[in-house]
Amino acid sequence: MAFPPNSLRAFLTHAKKSLFIAIQSSQGVTIVAGNESADLDSLTSSVLYSYIRSLAPPSGAFTPLYVPLLNIPAADMSLRPEFDTLFRHANIDPSHLVTLDDLLEGNGTALKPENTRFILVDHNSLQGELGKKYGARVQGVVDHHEDERRIDSDTSPEPRVIEKCGSCTSLVVRTLKPSWESSAGGSSLVSGAAHAQGDSVENDAGVTRTWDAQVAKMALASILIDTANLTAEGKVEKVDIDAVGYLEAKIKLSPQDAALWDRTKFYECIDAAKRDIDALSFEDILRKDYKQWTENGLNLGVASVVKPLGFLAEKITGNPSEDKEDQFVTGIGDFMAARSLTIFAIMTTFTSSLGEFQRELYVQALSSGHAAAHRFAEQAKEQLKLEDHDVASLSEKPGSMQPSSEGPWRKIWLQKDVSKSRKQVAPLLRRAMNEST
């Protein structure tokens, strides 16, 4: 039975409760999981897919209800201030979301793999502990990363969509737009909806349009962030532009939102919140937007940071007898050791004093990863337009952050091809790790 048209808040509350019941009673459950970096795009694509699919599940669906999973522990939501800002626009709060903590019910009973189906959004290979336990239960995917070809070509009745674009959420909008439109046909006839949700609009049609606007604003947040409000060269595709137009139309149909809607102000609000990481520690900044892979017996971690390396260096609280460079290398080494990493990369994005969007790339490797790191440096130099780079706050000696045969291999570059994000850089690192001997 399909979930009746309702608010996003009501849907998420119902989905979380249903997950607990499924765990306790060994019932089937369909999980829609974003990737382990749990950024805005993973959040919104998983919630949007689950919400629309539950309103209009396809024939042959494993279950009629789809449960969105934020692929981090609940405590890590505090590292993402942009979430709180977005939640206010969507009329939800963190407690409504299902996180990794919720896959274990209070009595310790695990969600049994045979009772699950997983739909992946914003990635196409289930990693980590989830991958080990539920990797064989993946039945569908909507993603904009490089196809790792680990998912069957036929995932019916769920989609298999892997396509380059700015935001995975754009692909979810396009894929499920017909279902959203068909579910809206009877949504204006939901008797008593306004009173049930505590809304104060005049009629049920107005209520459902308000609900649609809240969902649309949630979805727009990640598309606008990932495409810099549709201005990012080399990232924006037609599907992103079409999705923004469709979602904005939903907002403009809402009696409560139409007159107040300003896309640029909305984007700037979410973007400012995402970049507000001043209160975070060195380690928290690195794990805020972090992904990890294993290739050829070597572990790779890649962190995306929305401030330059100089900002990150000032967060180091290491041994005061060491210089800043040694403290930085030691701090990165500790982060790597805690995650058993062989190679670790930091990708920074920021706006220069001249107003130019810039990227830095830092790579550090253990001795077992020296060959792979060196291979990456050679192969990626032209593809990413890498230039040697010095960070004044890290060292007083220009060029000191260079590969070394002793101790950790490390290197800083200015990445001149700013169109290449982690979606392109991580596969290059992984390829170098697989090719190394």
Side-chain angles (χ1 to χ4, degrees), residues 112-396:
K112 297 177 182 177
E114 60 268 26
N115 293 333
T116 68
R117 293 292 186 275
F118 273 70
I119 314 299
L120 305 187
V121 290
D122 203 23
H123 59 150
N124 60 82
S125 176
L126 199 57
Q127 300 289 325
E129 292 303 313
L130 281 183
K132 293 175 184 176
K133 189 166 188 178
Y134 302 108
R137 313 307 294 179
V138 175
Q139 191 184 9
V141 60
V142 179
D143 185 33
H144 64 149
H145 295 86
E146 183 175 290
D147 190 350
E148 301 193 26
R149 305 193 182 283
R150 298 187 182 182
I151 298 176
D152 292 341
S153 57
D154 182 9
T155 56
S156 181
E158 303 299 340
R160 190 190 192 282
V161 178
I162 301 177
E163 178 183 325
K164 176 191 173 185
C165 66
S167 171
C168 179
T169 302
S170 298
L171 295 176
V172 174
V173 170
R174 187 188 66 189
T175 302
L176 299 186
K177 178 181 174 181
S179 297
W180 199 353
E181 291 304 302
S182 67
S183 69
S187 63
S188 62
L189 303 177
V190 183
S191 178
H195 300 295
Q197 292 302 311
D199 293 311
S200 57
V201 293
E202 294 180 351
N203 53 58
D204 288 338
V207 172
T208 55
R209 287 171 181 162
T210 296
W211 294 340
D212 275 355
Q214 290 169 349
V215 176
K217 282 187 281 187
M218 178 206 67
L220 268 171
S222 59
I223 301 174
L224 298 180
I225 288 296
D226 284 351
T227 65
N229 197 13
L230 297 181
T231 66
E233 294 184 14
K235 293 187 71 175
V236 180
E237 301 289 342
K238 184 177 184 297
V239 66
D240 301 302
I241 297 170
D242 290 346
V244 169
Y246 176 73
L247 294 169
E248 282 201 287
K250 290 277 189 186
I251 295 170
K252 291 173 182 177
L253 286 174
S254 166
Q256 291 187 348
D257 297 274
L260 300 174
W261 174 246
D262 185 316
R263 191 179 89 196
T264 298
K265 287 184 178 178
F266 178 74
Y267 162 71
E268 291 174 346
C269 177
I270 302 296
D271 187 56
K274 181 182 178 183
R275 295 182 180 280
D276 184 15
I277 61 173
D278 291 8
L280 299 183
S281 68
F282 178 77
E283 181 180 0
D284 285 347
I285 291 171
L286 294 180
R287 67 189 186 91
K288 177 182 186 291
D289 191 353
Y290 171 82
K291 296 183 73 173
Q292 184 169 325
W293 299 265
T294 299
E295 302 289 346
N296 200 21
L298 308 176
N299 293 329
L300 166 70
V302 182
S304 295
V305 178
V306 294
K307 298 278 190 179
L309 286 169
F311 172 88
L312 191 57
E314 295 303 320
K315 288 286 184 175
I316 288 286
T317 56
N319 186 339
S321 65
E322 294 181 323
D323 64 25
K324 209 64 177 178
E325 178 182 338
D326 289 340
Q327 289 183 27
F328 187 83
V329 172
T330 298
I332 295 298
D334 291 343
F335 185 88
M336 293 175 66
R339 292 156 183 80
S340 300
L341 298 181
T342 312
I343 301 177
F344 180 54
I346 302 172
M347 300 187 65
T348 73
T349 58
F350 59 97
T351 302
S352 72
S353 58
L354 298 177
E356 297 177 338
F357 179 75
Q358 295 190 327
R359 288 185 183 273
E360 296 166 314
L361 176 60
Y362 175 82
V363 175
Q364 183 163 314
L366 302 181
S367 58
S368 56
H370 281 197
H374 180 70
R375 188 184 301 272
F376 166 78
E378 289 186 331
Q379 295 176 343
K381 185 173 183 178
E382 283 302 316
Q383 294 185 59
L384 302 178
K385 307 298 183 192
L386 299 178
E387 294 183 358
D388 288 359
H389 183 50
D390 289 308
V391 177
S393 58
L394 274 178
S395 178
E396 297 179 357

Side-chain angles (χ1 to χ4, degrees), residues 56 63 73 77 89 92 136 157 170 195 237 308 318 320 322 335 380 411 418-419:
T63 62
M77 277 194 276
H89 287 280
I92 59 177
S170 298
H195 300 295
E237 301 289 342
E322 294 181 323
F335 185 88
K411 177 75 174 172
V418 297
S419 69

